[in-house]
């Protein structure tokens, strides 16, 4: 009896989840899994809904699967979720003016560094003199 | 008693650290010897303090606040003691302990010999004094509470794992180890010069720190893979990223220092990298510990601690950077090399590592920045890093595979690539094969090709040198690079070919994942030392239905913390892992939650184990390179001593 009580408490605390059914069509299910990995679990710190068992992640997985069976495209599903939760739901931030420094930054540094390296290679080249 | 003795030792260590830097900075001719002695005493005192803390944890002294917060009477003894450093205050003391030990080792071996070495001992003393003062004033693990608590509040059960017990010490051995090249850089900027001789002295310390850091990061990821139950090994979360930053810049540092040592090139850049690497280590430890990375707002929860940390960072990093700005112009070198020489390859490495570090830095801090300016919040996750850091690494690996064929100073691209014909063939074959197996993917096949390119390049290099006597440096390079190729191949394969299925099951039901068949046999309740668990029995079947392997994934519940955890079961082979977890399917019936059944989740992760085997090799290679020179010198001394003895 005591063990049962502990088990029950554990279940309540763990955020009891409804049975999760993968989609019957393997191609659709694999699309769903890929989408899960790029959607953030809103109550977690850095986890995707693929990697979380929080109630909200379970719900979102069900929503994504449902929309896939309804024949919606990945873009439409993303749009739907962004309308509901904002850009914060996307683990791949959209490219816009607010995220331009983020997306371009590493490549600008690489480009700038590349020019520096190129100049250094020319300067130090033994053949140059 | 032990808490008071611990605090006393801590204060004693603070005194020794201050004496260490005073003696090192003074003009007195006996100052150097005094500084070395003080550094030794300082290390012993922090060690004593740390031991007293562990004693308080071992005795489960519930009048000490940090014991109450992090331990519990039901914990097994091993985890009771380990809880001593598994929390903020204790881990800060561990950090100080390692800094003390590194400082004493540096003072002992190199500190008294040169003016800049002596200055570096002083800098290390100051760094220690700052941390020790912070611990004593704002982060004291020896704080008593009256009355004593009846029982502790436990430790996060996720952390009750061997992997996570040794993860922080290894990680800190890496972070803190970079304090030595940092101090040496400051010493050289203030009192000496940056040249090949400096590089020769500094490089072992860098390799030791980088090797330990590699191990620490790998261990953390191995823990996440086994404990978090999602079959993933790297989540690009801010705390992980913070440890990756010094690793990336540190990798650039050990390579540019090599050029400095062999050719006297890039002195200013190398010193800057040494400063940046340790700065990122500091940011990695303290910002993570302050909670800033999880949210800007968490920083304000404990403003006193936050401000103290900020002040320490500003003084340390700002001071070193100012010194660098003042002296950088003095260190110019004019060495000559061709665009396909070893030096050029190192430049490519440095470019890639710095850019990748910038990508990780930007990706980690951008959401905080957006949050701070009050714009619409956004997330930066795995897909961003996969689109920025990963292609950069592939470019880096292209140079890495070529580097061992390249000669110092001379050579053309045609010559070098010509020597790599074998590696080029293997890489192209691997790329084409992966493209065929996984049509439509491009980054994955490129990563496979790049890994094979590096691995085969190292083999070519080794075969070519098979008749020469290998130096430890050469062993270090080959081990380190082959390890990296193996790890990268594991990552590419995991990313490309992983499959998974999750399914609700009844006893006797078989779950199919590709060719793998797993039968769910049922659930039994088990009781551990401080938890209860439901343990599932999963039989792996071969084609004929015969059981080849039985796995027992668990769902644990720790009453002390009220947290359930997932214990994955793994069937590992050289070719990959089968990772199995279970979860309960439940339904809320009014107030009660009823177990309706169980679900099994299977992950097939081809070659995933190669990631940690490779990373372990890379770390080992780095440590061989780091400890090698000292070890060899000792052996030579011993050999030299023997004949002289027999002569007398």
């Amino acid at each position: 009896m005591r063990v049962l009580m502990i088990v029950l408490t554990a279940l309540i605390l763990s955020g009891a989840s409804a049975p999760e059914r993968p989609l019957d069509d393997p191609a659709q299910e694999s699309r769903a899994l890929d989408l899960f990995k790029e959607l953030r679990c809103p109550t977690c710190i850095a986890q995707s809904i693929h990697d979380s068992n929080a109630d909200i992640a379970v719900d979102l997985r069900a929503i994504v699967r449902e929309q896939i069976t309804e024949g919606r495209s990945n873009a439409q599903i993303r749009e739907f979720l962004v309308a509901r939760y904002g850009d914060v739901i996307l683990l791949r931030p959209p490219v816009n003016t607010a995220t331009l420094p983020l997306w371009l930054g590493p490549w600008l540094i690489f480009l700038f560094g590349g020019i520096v390296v190129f100049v250094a290679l020319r300067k130090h080249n033994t053949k140059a003199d | 008693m032990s808490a008071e003795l611990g605090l006393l030792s801590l204060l004693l260590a603070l005194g020794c650290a201050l004496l260490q830097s005073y003696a090192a900075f003074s003009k007195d001719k006996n100052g150097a010897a005094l500084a070395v002695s003080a550094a030794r005493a300082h290390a012993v005192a922090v060690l004593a303090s740390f031991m007293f803390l562990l004693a308080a944890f071992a005795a489960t002294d519930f009048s000490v606040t940090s014991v109450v917060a992090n331990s519990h009477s039901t914990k097994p003894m091993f985890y009771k003691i380990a809880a001593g450093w598994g929390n903020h205050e204790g881990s800060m003391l561990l950090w100080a302990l390692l800094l003390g030990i590194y400082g004493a080792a540096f003072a002992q071996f190199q500190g008294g010999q040169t003016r800049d070495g002596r200055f570096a001992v002083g800098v290390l003393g100051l760094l220690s004094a700052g941390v020790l003062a912070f611990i004593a004033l704002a982060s004291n693990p020896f704080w008593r509470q009256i009355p004593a608590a009846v029982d502790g509040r436990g430790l996060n059960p996720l952390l009750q794992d061997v992997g996570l017990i040794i993860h922080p010490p290894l990680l800190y051995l890496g972070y803190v180890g970079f304090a030595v090249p940092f101090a040496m850089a400051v010493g050289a900027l203030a009192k000496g010069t940056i040249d090949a001789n400096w590089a020769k002295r500094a490089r072992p310390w860098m390799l030791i720190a980088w090797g330990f850091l590699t191990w620490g990061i790998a261990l953390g990821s191995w823990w996440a893979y086994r404990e978090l139950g999602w079959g993933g090994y790297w989540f690009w979360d801010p705390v992980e990223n913070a440890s990756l930053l010094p690793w990336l810049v540190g990798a650039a540092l050990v390579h540019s220092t090599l050029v400095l040592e062999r050719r006297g090139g890039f002195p200013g850049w190398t010193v800057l990298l040494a400063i940046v690497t340790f700065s990122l280590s500091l940011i990695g430890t303290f910002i993570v510990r302050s909670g800033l990375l999880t949210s800007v707002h968490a920083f304000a929860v404990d403003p006193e601690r936050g401000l103290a940390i900020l002040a320490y960072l500003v003084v340390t990093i700002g001071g070193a950077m100012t010194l660098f700005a003042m002296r950088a112009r003095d260190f110019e070198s004019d060495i000559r090399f061709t665009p396909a020489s070893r030096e050029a390859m190192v430049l490519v490495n440095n470019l890639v590592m710095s850019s990748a570090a910038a990508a990780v830095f930007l990706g980690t801090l951008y959401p905080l920045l957006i949050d701070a300016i009050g714009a619409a919040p956004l997330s930066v996750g795995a897909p961003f890093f996969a689109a920025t850091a990963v292609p950069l690494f592939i470019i880096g690996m292209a140079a890495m595979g070529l580097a061992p064929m390249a000669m110092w100073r001379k050579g053309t691209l045609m010559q070098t690539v010509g020597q790599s014909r074998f590696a080029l063939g293997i890489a192209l074959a691997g790329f084409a094969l992966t493209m065929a197996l996984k049509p439509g993917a491009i980054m994955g096949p490129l990563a496979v090709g790049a890994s094979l390119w590096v691995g085969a390049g190292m083999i070519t290099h080794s075969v070519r040198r098979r008749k020469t006597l290998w130096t430890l440096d050469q062993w270090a390079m080959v081990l380190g690079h082959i390890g990296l190729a193996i790890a990268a191949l594991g990552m590419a394969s995991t990313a490309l070919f992983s499959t998974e299925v999750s399914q609700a099951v009844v006893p006797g039901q078989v779950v199919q994942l590709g060719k793998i068949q797993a039968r769910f046999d049922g659930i039994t309740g088990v009781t551990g030392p401080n938890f209860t668990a439901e343990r599932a029995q999963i039989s792996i079947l071969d084609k004929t239905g015969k059981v080849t392997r039985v796995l027992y994934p668990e769902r644990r519940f720790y009453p002390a913390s009220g947290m359930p955890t997932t214990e994955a079961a793994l069937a590992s082979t050289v070719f990959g892992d089968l990772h199995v977890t279970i979860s309960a399917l439940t339904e809320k019936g009014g107030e009660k939650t009823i177990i309706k059944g169980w679900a099994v989740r299977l992950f097939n992760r081809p070659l995933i184990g190669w990631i940690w085997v490779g990373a372990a090799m890379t770390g080992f290679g780095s440590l061989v390179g780091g400890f090698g020179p000292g070890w060899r010198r000792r052996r030579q001394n011993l050999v030299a001593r023997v004949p002289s003895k027999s002569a007398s």
Side-chain angles (χ1 to χ4, degrees):
Chain A
M1 191 57 207
R2 206 169 140 247
V3 172
L4 188 70
M5 284 293 288
I6 291 171
V7 169
L8 287 179
T9 336
L11 290 175
I12 294 161
L13 285 167
S14 69
S17 51
E20 217 177 322
R21 258 181 63 88
L23 298 171
D24 293 328
D25 178 359
Q28 285 191 342
E29 175 67 11
S30 119
R31 241 185 79 198
L33 288 178
D34 286 343
L35 264 176
F36 294 165
K37 287 175 196 161
E38 52 179 84
L39 297 170
R40 177 184 163 157
C41 157
T43 55
C44 315
I45 288 173
Q47 282 172 311
S48 67
I49 62 169
H50 177 263
D51 298 343
S52 169
N53 235 355
D55 283 347
I56 182 98
V58 177
D59 292 345
L60 285 172
R61 284 201 290 265
I63 290 173
V64 170
R65 284 203 175 101
E66 193 188 307
Q67 299 213 346
I68 285 179
T69 49
E70 283 166 5
R72 292 197 178 206
S73 72
N74 286 4
Q76 283 171 321
I77 297 172
R78 271 190 221 111
E79 232 168 77
F80 170 81
L81 290 169
V82 166
R84 233 168 124 178
Y85 294 95
D87 283 343
V88 75
I89 194 86
L90 303 174
L91 281 172
R92 184 202 312 269
V95 181
N96 57 37
T97 45
T99 61
L100 215 55
L102 172 71
W103 280 106
L104 287 184
W107 297 109
L108 283 178
I109 286 169
F110 183 67
L111 195 72
F112 175 75
I115 293 168
V116 171
V117 167
F118 184 74
V119 169
L121 284 178
R122 287 197 55 150
K123 197 183 105 189
H124 292 286
N125 197 344
T126 38
K127 283 186 192 144
D129 43 25
Chain B
M1 242 338 247
S2 81
E4 283 70 30
L5 288 172
L7 186 58
L8 200 66
S9 313
L10 184 76
L11 295 175
L12 196 64
L14 177 58
C16 290
L18 288 171
L19 178 65
Q20 172 186 338
S21 32
Y22 174 76
F25 292 142
S26 78
K27 298 232 158 45
D28 192 285
K29 68 175 178 348
N30 296 323
L34 180 59
V36 173
S37 304
R40 224 179 293 157
H42 150 210
V44 172
V46 200
L47 181 65
S49 177
F50 188 68
M51 286 302 160
F52 283 124
L53 180 68
L54 294 193
F57 271 87
T60 328
D61 183 347
F62 284 135
S63 67
V64 177
T65 308
S66 65
V67 179
V68 178
N70 303 293
S71 191
H72 194 271
S73 53
T74 62
K75 246 186 210 304
M77 185 45 114
F78 178 68
Y79 291 109
K80 270 187 186 170
I81 296 176
W85 64 82
N87 61 82
H88 173 86
E89 289 84 1
S91 71
M92 284 290 104
L93 189 57
L94 175 65
W95 207 93
L97 169 64
L98 297 175
L99 186 55
I101 292 174
Y102 270 118
F106 173 75
Q108 183 75 33
F109 295 124
Q110 297 179 350
Q113 295 163 5
T114 54
R115 281 176 69 214
D116 59 324
R118 181 171 164 182
F119 196 87
V121 173
V123 173
L124 284 165
L126 280 184
L127 286 173
S128 275
V131 176
L132 291 167
F134 170 70
I135 294 173
L137 294 174
S139 175
N140 187 347
F142 300 107
W143 201 254
R144 291 265 189 195
Q145 62 181 46
I146 296 167
V150 180
D151 207 336
R153 290 198 296 275
L155 175 79
N156 187 340
L158 278 176
L159 307 184
Q160 186 166 323
D161 179 85
V162 183
L164 215 66
I165 298 305
I166 41 179
H167 164 66
L170 279 178
L171 201 61
Y172 282 11
L173 271 170
Y175 282 158
V176 180
F178 285 117
V180 177
F182 171 86
M184 292 179 79
V186 173
L189 287 172
K191 292 274 171 192
T193 181
I194 309 282
D195 54 12
N197 185 30
W198 180 89
K200 206 179 179 65
R201 282 181 284 132
R203 194 154 179 272
W205 299 102
M206 299 168 184
L207 286 170
I208 289 168
W210 195 79
F212 280 127
L213 187 58
T214 308
W215 277 359
I217 293 172
L219 203 63
S221 112
W222 187 62
W223 166 82
Y225 173 62
R226 290 178 315 120
E227 288 290 308
L228 296 184
W230 300 105
Y233 62 93
W234 191 263
F235 295 87
W236 295 104
D237 85 18
V239 177
E240 288 173 334
N241 293 350
S243 69
L244 201 55
L245 286 170
W247 188 85
L248 291 168
V249 182
L253 174 65
V254 295
H255 289 94
S256 80
T257 310
L258 186 66
V259 178
L260 183 57
E261 185 182 329
R262 295 293 174 85
R263 302 275 338 267
F266 319 147
W269 171 239
T270 301
V271 133
L272 180 64
L273 284 176
I275 293 171
V276 171
T277 307
F278 183 60
S279 303
L280 290 170
S281 297
L282 279 180
I283 292 173
T285 338
F286 291 105
I287 302 282
V288 165
R289 284 290 168 194
S290 73
L292 178 68
L293 280 181
T294 25
S295 160
V296 214
H297 312 293
F299 203 56
V301 173
D302 199 343
E304 188 185 306
R305 226 178 232 185
L307 282 176
I309 288 173
L310 208 59
Y312 184 76
L313 292 182
V314 167
V315 170
T316 310
I317 302 172
M321 285 296 192
T322 311
L323 199 58
F324 174 75
M326 282 160 57
R327 294 262 354 240
R329 288 263 150 231
D330 303 348
F331 306 117
E332 289 255 340
S333 80
D334 188 30
I335 57 166
R336 297 277 137 187
F337 54 87
T338 66
S341 60
R342 192 71 74 82
E343 292 90 330
M345 298 299 152
V346 169
L347 279 181
V348 177
N349 156 295
N350 279 210
L351 170 62
V352 163
M353 290 300 174
S354 314
S355 311
V360 174
F361 190 80
L362 212 55
T364 310
L365 292 185
Y366 208 76
L368 292 174
L369 189 79
I370 291 286
D371 192 15
I373 62 168
L378 56 87
S379 310
V380 179
F384 170 81
F385 298 102
T388 49
V390 173
L392 284 168
F393 284 136
I394 292 175
I395 297 171
M397 287 174 80
M400 191 200 271
L402 215 49
M405 314 301 167
M407 287 171 284
W408 288 105
R409 205 166 65 242
K410 57 186 189 212
T412 65
L413 198 60
M414 288 313 286
Q415 279 175 336
T416 318
V417 175
Q419 296 202 354
S420 312
R421 281 184 309 258
F422 165 72
L424 194 62
I426 299 264
L428 287 175
F431 172 74
L433 186 68
T434 319
M435 284 287 267
L437 285 172
K438 192 91 182 177
I442 180 72
M443 209 57 89
L446 277 175
V448 171
S451 315
L452 293 172
W453 165 246
V454 171
M458 287 304 138
I459 291 169
T460 313
H461 170 86
S462 307
V463 168
R464 195 157 293 172
R465 303 277 175 97
R466 69 188 178 280
K467 289 194 179 138
T468 59
L469 191 65
W470 280 31
T471 61
L472 282 172
D473 258 3
Q474 203 166 356
W475 278 110
M477 188 275 277
V478 170
L479 274 173
H481 286 194
I482 287 188
L484 208 105
I486 291 173
L489 199 60
M491 290 174 203
S493 155
T494 304
L496 280 164
F497 301 115
S498 285
T499 50
E500 63 174 271
V501 64
S502 69
Q503 197 172 315
V505 285
V506 293
Q509 192 174 342
V510 174
V511 180
Q512 191 96 25
L513 176 63
K515 281 182 190 151
I516 301 158
Q517 300 186 75
R519 191 181 65 209
F520 175 70
D521 295 330
I523 296 273
T524 47
V526 289
T527 314
N530 59 344
F531 61 86
T532 57
E534 295 108 42
R535 176 181 287 172
Q537 181 175 321
I538 312 272
S539 302
I540 309 300
L541 311 174
D542 65 6
K543 266 178 266 168
T544 59
K546 231 178 71 199
V547 178
T548 54
R549 181 105 196 233
V550 184
L551 296 173
Y552 300 98
E554 290 178 11
R555 212 168 153 280
R556 284 189 185 170
F557 176 67
Y558 292 80
S561 72
M563 251 172 83
T565 66
T566 312
E567 286 289 309
L570 292 172
S572 302
T573 66
V574 182
F575 302 107
D577 282 8
L578 182 66
H579 180 288
V580 186
T581 57
I582 51 160
S583 56
L585 301 176
T586 55
E587 203 166 70
K588 282 181 189 122
E591 291 281 293
K592 275 192 195 141
T593 304
I594 307 143
I595 304 184
K596 295 255 302 184
W598 294 89
V600 169
R601 196 159 176 169
L602 295 178
F603 296 93
N604 182 31
R605 296 269 184 259
L607 304 192
I608 194 165
W610 292 33
I611 297 173
W612 301 292
V613 171
M617 253 176 93
T618 299
F620 180 69
S622 189
L623 291 173
V624 166
F627 285 110
W631 180 72
R632 206 169 38 210
R633 211 171 304 127
R634 268 190 66 165
R635 241 183 47 159
Q636 279 164 355
N637 286 347
L638 285 177
V639 171
R641 224 173 284 159
V642 172
S644 69
K645 254 187 189 164
S646 62
S648 68

